[in-house]
Amino acid sequence: MTSLSPGASSASILTAVESSAVVRAVLRDRLEVVVAGPDAGALRIGLLLPLSGALGLTGPSGLLAASLAATELNAAGGVAGRQVQLVLVDAGRLPGEVAREASGLVGVVDAFVGFHTSDVHRALEDALGGRVPYVFTPPHEGGARRPGVVLLGDSPSRQLAPAVRWLVARHRLRRWALVGSDYIWPRAVHRAAAGIVRGLGAQVVATRLTPFPGPGIDAEEIVAALARVRADAVLLSLVGRDLALFNRVFTASPLAGRVVRLSGSLEENGLLAAGGDDTGELYAAMRSFAGQGDERRVALAERHRALFGGRAPVLDAYAEGCYDGVHLAAALARADVLTARDAQAGTAALLASADRGAWAGAPSGPPRLGGFLARADGLDLTVIAPLRPTGP
């Protein structure tokens, strides 16, 4: 396997990941599964990951994390004797394409788990139509969901309000710009952020939504516009390669080192793709970071390294969410509530209960709540504060 370096190809990394013996042991070919039909002896999970497109650089890490979870469950005897299998779908394509392919798996998989952009998420929600449980693991745009859709991530207010408050208090930031990709999640971030910033006595001096998906952003023009409005802070809801390109251009500009950037989508693989950052003013608010050092994260990293080696793609926040999503699907199955009708209430009960019985095959237990604020330090993200979620 190979690590994700700034010049690495996500396609070559995915090929290396898929060649892992651990991954091959739990992964099943989508077409073969459809032809063979349901298997009562297996707990099949449709794995929705971005293997291409703007978020393609995060997909390989998610595949390894899901494979780690499936391996742990199978080593513990499976779920009620059923071996866990993963059926991979590339969720980095256009929403309609992903939705059609996932719909073809209804009836042969027991649940879907994954992370991808929210435009794909909404298309999947419509296409699956409450017929099968669907665990969506990354930060999301908020709002109600159809039966069967389980959200493990945070809404914009819960994710970002504590981070913005922390930064305003310590840096006296008064002039905020909002820069994101033009689809559902960044639009929701902009709506929430405007209220958060104004509630702290600051102002939004500029907003920008860049075409998505597209051939790439004009990062130089965006940075020049930020200089013209004299922003002292930028909230970034760009994703994947667009976020990496923006940060690469920004660090070479006169704004670097004196304008704070905060992202709700930056993780270690994205920072590596940007070439790192030594400005001291790039921050990320996420559920977890690779180097945060708490007992749960250290133990998870050790198990990940034992299976995949030290040169595997970094186990980032998106990947940890996917890991937790696979274990949640197994816990719901063990509790006999892995159905579209029961999944939402079942998840709430499992996360609120101290009973570890349903999580018997999960060494890390249930997913963590809350998050952290981290600052870029070269190629690493260093945790500087825990974040207590607020808002709906």
Side-chain angles (χ1 to χ4, degrees), residues 28 68 77 90 126 141 173 178 191 203 233 258 262 282 288 305 318:
R28 296 295 179 269
L68 170 60
D90 179 7
D126 289 343
E141 67 276 12
L173 305 170
L178 313 178
R191 290 193 297 270
Q203 62 178 315
R258 62 183 178 88
L262 170 65
L282 173 59
S288 68
R305 189 178 301 110
Y318 291 126

Side-chain angles (χ1 to χ4, degrees), residues 36-350:
D39 182 354
L43 178 67
R44 285 182 176 154
I45 297 174
L47 193 60
L48 300 160
L49 296 177
L51 308 178
S52 58
L55 281 176
L57 58 87
T58 63
S61 182
L63 178 53
L64 289 186
S67 299
L68 170 60
T71 300
E72 290 172 345
L73 289 162
N74 291 339
V79 179
R82 302 166 70 191
Q83 290 290 288
V84 177
Q85 300 175 356
L86 305 175
V87 184
L88 186 59
V89 173
D90 179 7
R93 297 167 296 163
L94 292 175
E97 295 178 29
V98 181
R100 283 192 296 274
E101 191 163 300
S103 294
L105 290 172
V106 174
V108 294
V109 300
D110 298 279
F112 288 95
V113 171
F115 64 84
H116 36 77
T117 57
S118 285
D119 54 346
V120 172
H121 167 56
R122 290 298 187 172
L124 282 162
E125 183 176 12
D126 289 343
L128 297 178
R131 294 177 291 165
V132 62
Y134 166 30
V135 182
F136 186 54
T137 64
H140 57 81
E141 67 276 12
R145 293 300 190 278
R146 289 190 177 190
V149 179
V150 174
L151 304 176
L152 279 188
D154 289 321
S155 67
S157 293
R158 287 179 60 84
Q159 180 188 16
L160 297 171
V164 172
R165 187 179 302 114
W166 192 97
L167 289 168
V168 167
R170 283 156 181 80
H171 293 271
R172 300 183 179 180
L173 305 170
R174 291 293 177 263
R175 299 178 61 81
W176 284 77
L178 313 178
V179 179
S181 305
D182 193 4
Y183 72 98
I184 301 170
W185 178 69
R187 292 181 211 136
V189 169
H190 282 198
R191 290 193 297 270
I196 294 167
V197 167
R198 290 165 186 153
L200 294 170
Q203 62 178 315
V204 176
V205 297
T207 61
R208 173 71 68 90
L209 288 169
T210 64
F212 183 89
I217 62 171
D218 187 345
E220 290 84 358
E221 190 276 329
I222 297 173
V223 171
L226 294 173
R228 288 194 296 272
V229 299
R230 295 180 291 111
D232 53 24
V234 185
L235 178 59
L236 295 167
S237 49
L238 297 166
V239 295
R241 63 190 178 203
D242 288 348
L243 178 62
L245 175 59
F246 176 87
N247 282 326
R248 187 182 288 273
V249 170
F250 194 96
T251 57
S253 78
L255 300 184
R258 62 183 178 88
V259 175
V260 167
R261 284 161 290 151
L262 170 65
S263 172
S265 58
L266 179 65
E267 36 65 49
E268 288 81 3
N269 287 307
L271 182 61
L272 287 169
D277 191 292
D278 291 309
T279 65
E281 300 296 352
L282 173 59
Y283 296 85
M286 297 291 278
R287 277 287 179 96
S288 68
F289 294 95
Q292 68 195 45
D294 63 82
E295 183 177 344
R296 184 186 201 267
R297 202 54 160 84
V298 169
L300 178 58
E302 288 176 350
R303 297 196 301 275
H304 185 272
R305 189 178 301 110
L307 279 184
F308 304 117
R311 290 181 56 79
V314 178
L315 183 69
D316 59 27
Y318 291 126
E320 183 175 347
C322 192
Y323 169 89
D324 285 332
V326 171
H327 273 297
L328 172 61
L332 290 168
R334 192 174 283 109
D336 201 25
V337 289
L338 188 62
T339 66
R341 182 190 64 188
D342 300 323
Q344 291 175 350
T347 295
L350 284 171

Side-chain angles (χ1 to χ4, degrees), residues 331 334-335 346 349-360 362 365-366:
R334 192 174 283 109
L350 284 171
L351 295 181
S353 173
D355 180 12
R356 289 293 301 271
W359 303 95

